Amino acid sequence: MGFIRGKVVKTVKNAPLNDPIEYAIMGYEVSLRRREAAFVEIVSLQEASDIVGVSGELQEVVEEFAKHWKGRDKNINVALVGNPNAGKTTFFNYVSGSSERVGNYGGVTVEAKEAHFRFGGYRFNVVDLPGTYSLSAYSNEERFVREYIMNNAPDVIINIVDASNLERNLYLSTQLIDMDIKGIIALNMYDELERSGAQFDYRKLGQMIGMPILPTVAAKGKGVKELLQEVIEVYEGRSEYVRHVHIHYGHDVEEGIVAIRAGLEKEKDLVAGISPRFLALKLLERDAEALRLIARGREHERLNQTCREQTARIEALYGEPVEAVVTDAKYGFISGALKETYLEPMVDKHRTTRYIDSLLTHKLLGIPLFLLFLFVTFYSTFAIGKYPMAWIEAGVSALGNQIDTHMAGGMLKDLLIGGIIDGVGGVIVFLPNILILFLFISFMEDTGYMARAAFIMDKLMHKIGLHGKSFIPLIMGFGCNVPAIMATRMLENRNDRLLTILINPFMSCSARLPVYTLFVGAFFPTYSAVILFGIYLSGIVAAVVMGKLFKKILFYKEEAPFVMELPPYRLPTARTTLRHMWHKGKQYLKKMGGIIMIASILIWALGYFPVPEERQAAYVQQREEIARQEQLDKESREELLAESHRQERFERQATSYIGRIGKSLEPIWAPLGLDWRAGVSILTGVAAKEVVVSTMSLLYIGEEIETEKESNDRLSQRLKSFYSPSVAILFMLFILLYSPCFAAIIAVSKEVGWKWGLFVMGYTTALAWGACYLLKTIQGWFV
């Protein structure tokens, strides 16, 4: 109609009743009601001058203003909405090339993700909103999605719909229709619908509801380009499907909507940009967020009275809440539309899922099978991972030997070998174990089994005072505690969320795995899988015990009921699973070049300085005297020289800054059977758990002479010379229980406040020391 950026708009006159208004734009006159005109953004001549930085005549400002906006309308702001498990994040990853987490259970996307890419001459700004079943205001996700749509007004909304579950998924679509926004329905996983034998005239349905519908298979990229092209058509106003549709909710409800909309006419400034029909419907349902919105209005008392009267009238007629009446009408609309466009398949599409569930969720076999899957995961982590580990170890050792052979002695050489190669190299060897662990976890998530694990574990969660949905963030903690803590946003009840966060650190994250791998491989090579499984199981037991304790002491409210979708089983694509595995591996590698390298260099520096020049000169003189003793044979001379090197390194380490810090704190670790080196490793592990291994590598191997070729398992051998298997168990238990890393503490603080972050840090460390001391005491009774 000519209302585009950079054009001059003049008000001609008002109608006799002050509405509509006639405007002049681009050489013609057009009338708009005030309600429609509110959607057109107008700036004054002075505001336009300020934007472009030009002051002068009207024509000059208009020309500069038009240049300012030229090409900017090529940006399309797109929001992705849809039910959990509909494939929304998979679609987002495909179109953007991103690697956001994808899982076959609800709650993966716990906040909005943004991406930008170009297609068809346009720049797409895509936001992946949390998965939600509706736009009511019951959960955090529902509130967030609704507020984002109302406050940001995306140009186009892509509604991702699961083609295998149309009736339930289209409920959200009806709410988008009520909001009167431009939208497209992506009929995702359309290949499943075709395989089921169902017949669906999606084009006809799109014409009926005023939204174009296009089939897609996001995991394989099928239909995605066609969908993006349709987004452009909708944005440009060329789509033949887009039209405004009113879902009729029956005479009584419609009468209530009309009455409330009449009251909203006097609150235009308050509700500008919001569909009056959608807001009236929410007020009729007594939606808390909608009521808070109108409470700021000038005549909110009168409007609120109208809403109460209309709600009471409808509920008296139907004998149930207005929301239930509206929901029934929506499903009636969906059912009627599908009867004209959709023909059910002859074969039961959920038969396979029910058959698998009869085994995996069996009341007797369910938990043993789940534990078996976990055991196979840990066994494979060792059995398969040991081969690439050996290759990486050989490469790290060869690199160190090359630098040792060809580089002149000095501080730089010591830094490269003792700080970077020994520190970072001691951790990077565990990359294969990390990748294998995430391969199995990703597969269980993507197939839909992880949701069944939550179903299986609901009874145990109920004993703690939680429900099965809390089990998903806990299981995610086996990968990393940070996203697991953020994933608690899927829990509607704050107490449930807080309790889940408090016990989440006991889920052994992948950063602890290098420590377990080191000690289990050194002390228990024959029973590696059993010990590792026992460590992880101990974390689960600790979470159960502390959860039960916290429930009795801190949280008294009754837990929320268990409501969770069990999605159909799907075989994930290799591309999706491998990409997730590599994404986690890449995060691990980034840590190698980031915090772990910095920590390794810092620890090396604390162990290298101060340099005792007098004692260093004395040792140099001692070795020169040994070299001059001609009566010694070659073997004896080398043995004496090696002993001199050992003594020097031992003395330097003991008198270094890190030695002084460690020895001052040794009384804390001595009751647990640990020396100051282990204590320093525990302290540095607060930065990142992987640093524990690099610290040990620097402190324990630092006593060895660098001129000898050391075996690939040199750190394991050194640890075996210091500790017994029982102490090794205590050390792994301490690493399991004590404070999570700084990143996790920050995540807790951001989610629920700093006092809870500090509480998590303190209570887990106290528990770790107390549990290990108790176990050490019990060990003493039998030794």
Side-chain angles (χ1 to χ4, degrees), residues 574-750:
R575 177 176 176 268
T576 300
T577 303
L578 292 175
R579 184 170 61 179
H580 173 233
M581 179 188 73
W582 171 243
H583 180 57
K584 292 300 181 182
K586 187 167 66 174
Q587 289 180 337
Y588 189 73
L589 288 174
K590 283 182 179 179
K591 278 188 176 182
M592 300 301 102
I595 188 170
I596 293 177
M597 179 177 288
I598 294 171
S600 297
I601 293 173
L602 178 61
I603 294 162
W604 170 85
L606 290 173
Y608 188 85
F609 296 103
V611 178
E613 294 182 358
E614 292 183 4
R615 294 299 301 157
Q616 190 176 24
Y619 277 109
V620 170
Q621 184 179 356
Q622 182 187 66
R623 288 191 286 273
E624 289 176 350
E625 292 176 358
I626 293 173
R628 287 195 296 266
Q629 295 180 14
E630 298 179 357
Q631 70 274 20
L632 296 175
D633 57 28
K634 182 179 180 181
E635 184 176 347
S636 299
R637 187 181 292 109
E638 288 181 353
E639 185 176 340
L640 288 173
L641 289 172
E643 182 59 30
S644 176
H645 277 290
R646 289 190 185 96
Q647 290 176 357
E648 181 185 6
R649 288 182 178 277
F650 181 80
E651 185 175 327
R652 283 194 60 179
Q653 196 178 69
T655 57
S656 66
Y657 292 128
I658 201 168
R660 295 172 188 177
I661 294 172
K663 287 182 179 295
S664 66
L665 298 176
E666 194 166 21
I668 297 176
W669 316 112
L672 307 182
L674 303 174
D675 67 1
W676 65 270
R677 299 172 188 81
V680 170
S681 302
I682 290 171
L683 290 177
T684 58
V686 178
K689 291 297 179 284
E690 300 97 333
V691 179
V692 173
V693 176
S694 61
T695 305
M696 287 190 149
S697 181
L698 294 171
L699 296 181
Y700 286 100
I701 299 177
E703 294 180 10
E704 291 291 332
I705 58 172
E706 298 294 346
T707 56
E708 294 182 354
K709 184 179 180 181
E710 297 172 338
S711 62
N712 293 333
D713 59 347
R714 54 184 180 164
L715 180 55
S716 298
Q717 295 301 321
R718 293 295 293 164
L719 290 173
K720 288 172 70 175
S721 67
F722 276 86
Y723 301 117
S724 65
S726 61
V727 175
I729 290 288
L730 288 177
F731 187 82
M732 288 190 288
L733 183 62
F734 198 99
I735 295 297
L736 166 71
L737 297 177
Y738 91 114
S739 172
C741 66
F742 280 147
I745 295 297
I746 292 171
V748 173
S749 302
K750 285 184 176 180

Side-chain angles (χ1 to χ4, degrees), residues 73-76 78 119-122 124 155-158 182-184 210-214 224-243:
D73 56 344
K74 292 292 185 181
N75 286 279
I76 306 179
V78 179
F119 178 84
Y122 291 78
F124 281 70
D155 297 318
V156 180
I157 286 183
I158 300 179
K182 291 183 178 181
I184 297 175
M211 282 188 183
I213 302 177
L214 284 85
V224 174
K225 290 183 178 179
E226 292 79 1
L227 184 74
L228 295 178
Q229 186 59 49
E230 187 63 27
V231 170
I232 296 173
E233 297 298 308
V234 171
Y235 174 73
E236 295 289 0
R238 297 192 297 256
S239 176
E240 60 184 39
Y241 292 92
V242 175
R243 64 188 181 92

Side-chain angles (χ1 to χ4, degrees), residues 40-94:
V40 183
E41 184 179 2
I42 304 293
V43 295
S44 67
L45 176 61
Q46 183 59 49
E47 290 171 326
S49 299
D50 294 340
I51 290 173
V52 298
V54 174
S55 58
E57 297 298 326
L58 173 62
Q59 188 60 35
E60 184 181 356
V61 175
V62 169
E63 289 176 357
E64 289 299 321
F65 197 67
K67 290 178 183 178
H68 176 77
W69 288 105
K70 187 176 181 181
R72 298 200 177 196
D73 56 344
K74 292 292 185 181
N75 286 279
I76 306 179
N77 298 315
V78 179
L80 301 182
V81 301
N83 288 187
N85 308 308
K88 181 170 51 61
T89 304
T90 305
F91 181 91
F92 176 79
N93 286 345
Y94 186 86

Side-chain angles (χ1 to χ4, degrees), residues 206-440:
Q207 291 173 340
M208 291 171 61
I209 66 175
M211 282 188 183
I213 302 177
L214 284 85
T216 62
V217 183
K220 300 177 181 178
K222 293 182 178 179
V224 174
K225 290 183 178 179
E226 292 79 1
L227 184 74
L228 295 178
Q229 186 59 49
E230 187 63 27
V231 170
I232 296 173
E233 297 298 308
V234 171
Y235 174 73
E236 295 289 0
R238 297 192 297 256
S239 176
E240 60 184 39
Y241 292 92
V242 175
R243 64 188 181 92
H244 182 54
V245 174
H246 275 182
I247 299 173
H248 196 273
Y249 296 109
H251 174 75
D252 299 308
V253 175
E254 292 294 334
E255 185 179 326
I257 293 174
V258 170
I260 295 174
R261 285 190 64 173
L264 290 173
E265 287 289 328
K266 298 182 179 180
E267 303 287 357
K268 290 180 180 179
D269 294 338
L270 188 67
V271 299
I274 304 174
S275 166
R277 181 175 175 82
F278 177 76
L279 182 57
L281 194 59
K282 287 300 164 187
L283 290 171
L284 200 59
E285 295 174 353
R286 308 300 291 166
D287 180 272
E289 296 295 323
L291 291 171
R292 273 194 286 269
L293 177 64
I294 65 167
R296 302 195 297 266
R298 294 187 300 272
E299 300 185 22
H300 69 275
E301 287 293 341
R302 180 189 57 78
L303 180 57
N304 204 5
Q305 179 63 28
T306 301
C307 295
R308 282 195 295 266
E309 290 174 356
Q310 293 301 322
T311 300
R313 177 182 61 81
I314 295 170
E315 290 181 350
L317 286 172
Y318 288 88
E320 58 182 354
V322 174
E323 189 173 15
V325 177
V326 172
T327 299
D328 287 343
K330 283 183 181 293
Y331 277 114
F333 172 81
I334 295 169
S335 178
L338 289 178
K339 280 183 179 179
E340 294 187 36
T341 58
Y342 181 75
L343 184 62
E344 284 279 359
M346 299 298 293
V347 180
D348 184 0
K349 60 184 179 182
H350 296 296
R351 183 177 60 182
T352 303
T353 291
R354 280 197 291 268
Y355 177 77
I356 299 174
D357 272 347
S358 66
L359 179 65
L360 295 183
T361 61
H362 191 273
K363 63 180 181 180
L364 297 178
L365 299 177
I367 293 179
L369 285 174
F370 174 61
L371 295 177
L372 176 63
F373 292 152
L374 289 182
F375 179 80
V376 170
T377 298
F378 300 136
Y379 179 81
S380 302
T381 300
F382 269 100
I384 301 173
K386 65 181 180 181
Y387 299 106
M389 275 185 66
W391 303 335
I392 297 175
E393 283 180 338
V396 171
S397 179
L399 178 61
N401 290 333
Q402 285 294 317
I403 294 177
D404 185 39
T405 303
H406 297 94
M407 191 173 180
M411 187 175 69
L412 180 59
K413 177 181 177 179
D414 289 342
L415 171 62
L416 289 175
I417 296 177
I420 297 176
I421 294 178
D422 281 348
V424 177
V427 180
I428 200 172
V429 295
F430 301 105
L431 177 62
N433 302 95
I434 302 295
L435 292 176
I436 294 169
L437 177 66
F438 275 106
L439 178 65
F440 277 87

Side-chain angles (χ1 to χ4, degrees), residues 185-204:
I185 293 178
L187 200 60
N188 199 32
M189 293 176 279
Y190 190 70
D191 53 341
E192 293 186 11
L193 184 145
E194 291 180 316
R195 283 197 300 269
S196 70
Q199 298 179 25
F200 184 33
D201 189 349
Y202 57 84
R203 294 183 182 87
K204 183 177 180 181

Side-chain angles (χ1 to χ4, degrees), residues 78 100 141 164 274 335 344 400 541 557:
V78 179
E100 293 302 330
E141 287 82 1
S164 64
I274 304 174
S335 178
E344 284 279 359
V541 171
K557 290 185 178 181

